[in-house]
Amino acid sequence: MGLDDHRSGSYQLCPSILSADFNRLGEQIQTLEKAGVKWLHIDVMDGDFVPSISFGMPVIRSIRRESKMFFDVHLMVTEPGRYIQDFVDCGADSITVHAEACEDLDRTLQMIRDSGVRVGVSIKPATPVHDISHVLEDVDMVLIMTVNPGFGGQKYIGEMTEKISELREIIEEEDLSVDIQVDGGINRETLPVVLKAGANLIVAGSYVFNGDIRSNVREATAIMRNYTDPFE
Ligand code: DX5
Ligand code: ZN
């Protein structure tokens, strides 16, 4: 991995393997890597915080052996503090927890920080930015859910655009180095919208994995390039 790939402020496409063909997971991850993708978004669902169950440590551990990508683990898990060390041990480079899922959010974020990986906090569509304003100094990124977490392939919730802009303003005003990640319903129509609002880390599941992965990645990165300063 290049040194710059996880510095704050960089624009990254973060394909979500929730939409992968699990029968060909390794091969599809290799295709992403060859297409120049640096971040891999890994959705862990526990059937409690969200209705569905996805996958956990064994899957992450085995793809870690074959991939050098930055593993961005999104925990849709109740009281995720119970599992931070497990996810670090199986290869996470970043761990994001939901504000709504933690009894003591500050403590959970501190656990992630102490484990040496990047720290992310996420909010569901119904949770206001205000609810996490007190932890902005303690995180590397905020993940704004642009659909209700639980399933891939849902429609982008239009009201979330305003939330992204609101957070971008706070980050600029307070001169924080915090990335804004968006997740859910990103496609060729909504991608320009979230970039314009101020998101820089873009999760995409069905957009990347439905159809030809290489050409989908090419299209998404071409759109993103319009929003990135080439001399940055
Ligand atoms: C939703 C997950 C997303 C999901 C996105 O709960 O957190 O990462 O995979 O899928 P798309 O991009 O298809 O909406
Ligand atoms: Zn996700």
Side-chain angles (χ1 to χ4, degrees):
M1 193 190 326
L3 269 180
D4 281 353
D5 298 335
H6 57 267
R7 77 187 158 86
S8 116
S10 82
Y11 283 75
Q12 300 289 341
L13 179 67
C14 318
S16 162
I17 56 167
L18 193 60
S19 296
D21 173 357
F22 287 97
N23 201 33
R24 298 192 297 140
L25 182 58
E27 189 190 314
Q28 295 195 329
I29 291 174
Q30 266 185 23
T31 304
L32 292 171
E33 216 155 356
K34 280 192 197 134
V37 171
K38 309 284 191 233
W39 281 49
L40 195 67
H41 186 76
I42 300 174
D43 286 307
V44 178
M45 303 180 179
D46 69 349
D48 184 56
F49 180 68
V50 287
S52 192
I53 299 177
S54 58
F55 48 76
M57 295 86 170
V59 171
I60 301 175
R61 201 175 302 118
S62 54
I63 59 176
R64 180 75 288 176
R65 283 198 288 270
E66 298 289 329
S67 173
K68 293 203 162 34
M69 271 192 272
F70 185 80
F71 278 13
D72 162 31
V73 177
H74 176 194
L75 296 181
M76 284 162 275
V77 171
T78 302
E79 288 304 338
R82 297 174 292 157
Y83 301 110
I84 302 303
Q85 197 53 51
D86 293 300
F87 283 103
V88 172
D89 292 344
C90 67
D93 295 304
S94 170
I95 295 182
T96 300
V97 295
H98 272 265
E100 307 89 353
C102 303
E103 174 81 34
D104 187 340
L105 180 60
D106 301 67
R107 185 164 169 271
T108 310
L109 296 174
Q110 190 58 49
M111 283 170 72
I112 306 175
R113 179 66 71 206
D114 291 344
S115 76
V117 301
R118 269 179 63 114
V119 184
V121 65
S122 181
I123 46 175
K124 297 203 275 191
T127 306
V129 169
H130 178 263
D131 282 22
I132 50 156
S133 51
H134 65 293
V135 297
L136 290 178
E137 303 250 351
D138 309 320
V139 300
D140 298 302
M141 96 178 166
V142 174
L143 164 53
I144 298 205
M145 288 306 302
T146 44
V147 299
N148 277 303
F151 304 96
Q154 303 181 74
K155 195 173 173 296
Y156 178 83
I157 300 173
E159 287 80 4
M160 295 305 106
T161 309
E162 184 60 43
K163 209 166 161 182
I164 302 164
S165 317
E166 181 193 349
L167 178 60
R168 178 52 69 196
E169 254 171 51
I170 298 172
I171 290 172
E172 301 293 318
E173 262 167 32
E174 299 183 10
D175 200 19
L176 300 166
S177 63
V178 173
D179 290 309
I180 302 182
Q181 188 176 54
V182 289
D183 186 0
I186 303 302
N187 54 35
R188 64 172 69 86
E189 278 83 40
T190 53
L191 177 53
V193 176
V194 294
L195 289 166
K196 217 166 161 200
N200 65 297
L201 298 173
I202 311 296
V203 177
S206 40
Y207 180 32
V208 167
F209 287 94
N210 289 359
D212 184 60
I213 294 176
R214 284 179 68 91
S215 52
N216 295 339
V217 167
R218 215 174 294 132
E219 180 185 277
T221 46
I223 297 173
M224 289 171 70
R225 219 166 286 128
N226 292 332
Y227 291 83
T228 320
D229 179 353
F231 303 108
E232 205 185 4

